[in-house]
Amino acid sequence: MVLNSDDEAFWGSGYPVYVALSTDKSAAHDQPQSLTLNLPPLATVFYRWQG
């Protein structure tokens, strides 16, 4: 994760989010893999792809 605007360091609520993510092998939206995200309300979360 690059940035979570809901982090307590930015006076946010500290809603727990995943630091690193990985895809599931279940197909969705005509794609072979999918990703499930838990996002904080009214916040922005940036992730960087590493392949």
Side-chain angles (χ1 to χ4, degrees):
M1 176 178 10
V2 177
L3 172 74
N4 174 9
S5 67
D6 195 50
D7 194 301
E8 291 177 344
F10 303 114
W11 299 279
S13 68
Y15 185 88
V17 296
Y18 295 112
V19 175
L21 301 170
S22 61
T23 59
D24 297 322
K25 292 186 178 182
S26 59
H29 302 283
D30 296 323
Q31 299 296 317
Q33 296 181 332
S34 60
L35 180 68
T36 302
L37 298 170
N38 291 325
L39 299 174
L42 303 174
T44 302
V45 179
F46 288 98
Y47 289 97
R48 178 177 293 142
W49 180 75
Q50 295 179 350

